[in-house]
Amino acid sequence: MKKVLTIAGSDSSGGAGIQADLKTFCAHKVYGMSIITAVTAQNTLGVSHIETLSSLSVRKQIEAVAEDIDIDAVKIGMLSNAEIILTVAELIKRYKFKNIVLDPVMISTTGFDLLEKDAKEALIQELLPLADVITPNLHEASAILDGLEIKSKDDMEKSVHAFRKLTSSAVLIKGGHLVDDAADLLAYEDKFRWYDAPKINTNNTHGTGCTLSSAIASNLALGLSVEQAVFDAKEYITGAIRNSLDIGSGNGPTNHLYRLIR
Ligand SMILES: Nc1ncnc2c1ncn2[C@@H]1O[C@H](COP(=O)(O)OP(=O)(O)OP(=O)(O)O)[C@@H](O)[C@H]1O
Ligand SMILES: Cc1ncc(CO)c(N)n1
């Protein structure tokens, strides 16, 4: 069985973070492992507390897994601070991790900071170059590109050129926050490809970004090309949102069981 590692924060309500990642891995029939960077107290209404683990704890967790088990792909989500970012970057290089999908998590759907402000530069300088695929949403893409306005599909296409100057990783800009549709744009090598999807009329979008990046990592572990891994992951997230769950009174979670239980 293929083995996939997530390095991310815990979401007590189970919709995003480590919990979304492990559910996604399970649905893709890959073996999931987890490195916890922070414990968030959150629910469908928002985040009320964050306790970030020490970079030593993150280091020890990664070493424990990597010294013992072969890893076919890695998904990286919430990293909280620069020290953890530097630790993760160092260990990616030491263990030569492959199939790395970096979701540059900065703020939650409900507007809570999940990355300290001064850590953005470390993320861009140290981690971006090590990723095979990065998956910023519109806000994160704009933050990485020094405030470049990205509000439309045209803006997304323009931003691709700016990304090209910054990294040779494949970049999937997620359009979940576009007004009319939910089209994502993949730029890789010298090509780009749109993945179109209708915008589903629901508030239950908690954890969509985590789910998508974990699905891409799972598909890369299973041997798919980047283009196909994103295609299959987009189908998965669209189905998981279409069948999303009315749990809690705010933004409910995606449904990972929709292909199993109908
Ligand atoms: N209402 C929707 N209908 C259809 N697809 C959606 C919808 N909202 C988000 N998506 C899709 O979900 C995926 C995640 O995109 P999104 O832009 O929401 O990421 P995000 O903001 O990082 O997510 P998160 O809420 O976890 O922080 C993308 O493929 C996006 O197109
Ligand atoms: C732990 C965690 N990671 C990522 C997100 C982004 O959705 C979140 N809300 N919580």
Side-chain angles (χ1 to χ4, degrees), residues 113-124:
D113 278 335
L114 300 176
L115 181 72
E116 290 175 11
K117 293 270 182 255
D118 67 355
K120 192 182 83 180
E121 275 316 302
L123 187 82
I124 294 172

Side-chain angles (χ1 to χ4, degrees), residues 34-36 53-67 87 91 94-95:
S34 59
I35 308 302
I36 298 183
L53 272 76
S54 67
S55 60
L56 179 63
S57 168
V58 173
R59 172 184 298 279
K60 290 292 181 190
Q61 291 177 70
I62 298 176
E63 286 174 354
V65 175
E67 295 286 340
T87 301
L91 296 178
R94 186 200 299 169
Y95 293 112

Side-chain angles (χ1 to χ4, degrees), residues 155-169:
D155 294 343
M156 287 164 80
E157 286 194 5
K158 282 184 198 133
S159 73
V160 158
H161 303 291
F163 268 111
R164 274 287 142 272
K165 291 190 190 133
L166 207 61
T167 174
S168 57
S169 325

Side-chain angles (χ1 to χ4, degrees), residues 11-23:
D11 168 5
S12 49
S13 66
I18 289 280
Q19 289 77 2
D21 300 340
L22 291 174
K23 291 172 192 180

